[in-house]
Amino acid sequence: MLRALTSALRLPGPWRPLRTRGCASHGATGDPEIQVRALTGRDQGITEILMNRPSARNALGNVLVSQLLEALAQLREDQQVRVLLFRSGVKGVFCAGADLKEREQMSEAEVGIFVQRLRGLMNEIASSAVMGLIETTRGLLPGAGGTQRLPRCLGVALAKELIFTGRRLSGAQAQALGLVNHAVSQNEEGNAAYHRALELAQEILPQVDIASGMAIEGICYAQNIPTQDRLEGMAAFREKRPPRFVGK
């Protein structure tokens, strides 16, 4: 089925490096670690982000994180993008988590800054806590939001167990726990997960358009305008104090 799907797809546009705005644009080899391409034909509206750092198994280093944040910022302004699909250009791996070799060379101040940027990235892509949990296998605690996301996904008890043990999970185990939506058997090309993700993107594509999305946002925000909590939030911001929300 996957091969049939591949043959039925229209040819996508070429991969292209992002247009940088003041951040590092290339890795040590001179090749961009993040590339983007917009699919065409019936898949128009789907944009793919390719992570391509084979020397470090797509580990999240300074350059990759900078390029990925920049790509997301640019794509957010592109009204033609309706579905975003992340994929790996490194066969057999999606992302190895944080680049601990690079982090070991950082000063304490640099680590703090980098972790803050990494948390922002995780929030941007609505990542699960799995990336943060990879670090626990090296005797570290999750530092990119894993301690907050995982209990919300699995409950406190199971989250503690996974964090404290640093246990590695298979795709099937992650699906059984609810950490991922789908687990697929690998194909000969090593890209079965990509094809499943593309199928899902194709299913989502006709359900979302920017005009409808903006209309829905407007309706939801209109419901928020007369609430006491909205006024309280603005007052708290102005008075530089924590808000006291009452749910009204």
Side-chain angles (χ1 to χ4, degrees):
M1 178 175 122
L2 292 175
R3 287 180 183 149
L5 174 63
T6 304
S7 63
L9 294 176
R10 305 283 184 87
L11 290 176
W15 289 109
R16 58 180 175 84
L18 68 154
R19 304 181 308 278
T20 57
R21 292 190 297 231
C23 72
S25 60
H26 296 81
T29 63
D31 297 325
E33 296 181 1
I34 294 295
Q35 300 179 54
V36 299
R37 72 173 174 183
L39 303 189
T40 58
R42 65 171 182 167
D43 295 329
Q44 186 172 355
I46 300 174
T47 293
E48 296 181 349
I49 290 184
L50 180 79
M51 297 181 292
N52 191 36
R53 193 188 178 201
S55 62
R57 295 169 59 84
N58 287 341
L60 298 170
N62 256 320
V63 173
L64 191 144
V65 169
S66 294
Q67 292 184 6
L68 188 48
L69 284 168
E70 181 68 14
L72 291 171
Q74 292 179 16
L75 292 172
R76 194 183 304 114
E77 300 172 1
D78 187 346
Q79 296 187 1
Q80 301 303 312
V81 178
R82 290 157 59 187
V83 184
L84 194 57
L85 195 155
F86 288 82
R87 64 180 302 190
S88 171
V90 182
K91 188 173 182 178
V93 64
F94 180 71
C95 174
D99 187 339
L100 299 184
K101 292 181 180 179
E102 182 181 272
R103 190 175 299 183
E104 190 178 14
Q105 306 303 315
M106 296 179 182
S107 67
E108 291 184 6
E110 289 172 333
V111 170
I113 293 171
F114 179 75
V115 170
Q116 287 290 343
R117 295 175 64 236
L118 196 54
R119 287 177 185 148
L121 175 61
M122 295 298 101
N123 288 334
E124 280 283 330
I125 62 179
S127 172
S128 71
V130 173
M131 287 187 177
L133 280 173
I134 290 174
E135 292 190 359
T136 67
T137 64
R138 310 289 183 89
L140 302 177
L141 285 174
T147 61
Q148 301 304 304
R149 295 188 184 93
L150 197 60
R152 288 166 169 77
C153 291
L154 303 180
V156 173
L158 186 53
K160 283 183 177 181
E161 178 181 330
L162 293 178
I163 291 172
F164 295 156
T165 63
R167 185 179 304 148
R168 292 177 181 269
L169 301 176
S170 67
Q173 290 172 324
Q175 184 186 28
L177 291 175
L179 281 174
V180 298
N181 291 357
H182 304 278
V184 295
S185 299
Q186 190 58 280
N187 59 12
E188 294 179 2
E189 293 77 17
N191 59 3
Y194 163 69
H195 284 297
R196 181 66 188 95
L198 184 58
E199 287 179 337
L200 185 58
Q202 291 167 337
E203 186 178 350
I204 294 171
L205 186 60
Q207 312 303 326
V208 182
D209 65 85
I210 188 66
S212 299
M214 294 296 285
I216 293 170
E217 178 185 289
I219 293 171
C220 294
Y221 190 74
Q223 295 174 347
N224 181 61
I225 290 175
T227 64
Q228 295 178 27
D229 282 348
R230 185 183 74 90
L231 298 175
E232 167 61 16
M234 291 189 295
F237 176 78
R238 182 182 67 253
E239 298 166 10
K240 298 182 179 179
R241 61 171 174 80
R244 296 183 291 270
F245 295 127
V246 297
K248 297 182 181 179

